[in-house]
Amino acid sequence: MIQRIQTIYLLVVILLTGVFPFWINLWSDASGNEIYAANEIMVSLVFYVSAVLALVCILLFKNRKNQFVVNRLNMILNIFLLGLFVYRSLNLSGESNISEKGIGMLIPIFSIVFLVLANRAIKKDEDLIKSVDRLR
């Protein structure tokens, strides 16, 4: 069923990865220019792919096993994005007057948390279906 709690979690992931990175700055460079996801092609592409994977996962509500796998792939993609941000932040200077890390770098962490919650709900539904099948 599409009206499950995992749909809410996946909609939050779509909102986090498809909308917020283009409104919230990821970091500021040495000259004070704020860098958004739209300024970095690779980062914006990864954010869009993550949002599309979450949308595909919502549409796979009839096949919970595939939904679970797509969620796992989305988690791996967000871990890759988080690693890219960590690499980028380690290359930026740590002084506050030269560069500043933005709150947008935390978006992959929040999306991973909501993907884990969605996977738990999918697993719970799958276990419920298996228990009902045993009773028949």
Side-chain angles (χ1 to χ4, degrees):
M1 286 194 240
I2 202 162
Q3 68 268 19
R4 304 295 295 170
I5 189 68
Q6 63 260 25
T7 306
I8 303 290
Y9 294 144
L10 292 170
L11 285 174
V12 170
V13 170
I14 289 172
L15 185 70
L16 279 173
T17 60
V19 177
F20 283 172
F22 303 98
W23 285 350
I24 299 173
N25 69 327
L26 299 176
W27 60 81
S28 299
D29 60 2
S31 62
N33 298 328
E34 292 182 344
I35 306 296
Y36 296 93
N39 300 38
E40 299 284 326
I41 301 297
M42 177 75 167
V43 173
S44 66
L45 182 69
V46 173
F47 274 127
Y48 279 138
V49 169
S50 178
V52 167
L53 279 176
L55 181 65
V56 166
C57 190
I58 289 173
L59 297 176
L60 288 174
F61 64 92
K62 290 184 180 178
N63 194 343
R64 287 173 298 282
K65 290 180 184 177
N66 284 346
Q67 198 176 23
F68 196 78
V69 170
V70 170
N71 254 355
R72 291 279 174 139
L73 288 174
N74 202 350
M75 278 190 255
I76 291 170
L77 185 67
N78 278 303
I79 289 171
F80 168 74
L81 186 62
L82 186 62
L84 184 71
F85 284 160
V86 167
Y87 172 75
R88 186 75 168 176
S89 69
L90 291 177
N91 284 338
L92 293 175
S93 176
E95 299 178 29
S96 62
N97 60 355
I98 295 177
S99 66
E100 182 179 326
K101 286 81 175 170
I103 195 155
M105 289 185 151
L106 297 176
I107 291 174
I109 295 172
F110 293 131
S111 64
I112 288 171
V113 167
F114 282 108
L115 288 169
V116 166
L117 290 172
N119 265 357
R120 282 188 181 175
I122 294 167
K123 179 79 170 127
K124 188 177 173 183
D125 284 350
E126 185 67 26
D127 291 343
L128 181 66
I129 297 296
K130 283 182 183 178
S131 70
V132 169
D133 284 344
R134 271 183 273 172
L135 292 175
R136 283 190 215 174

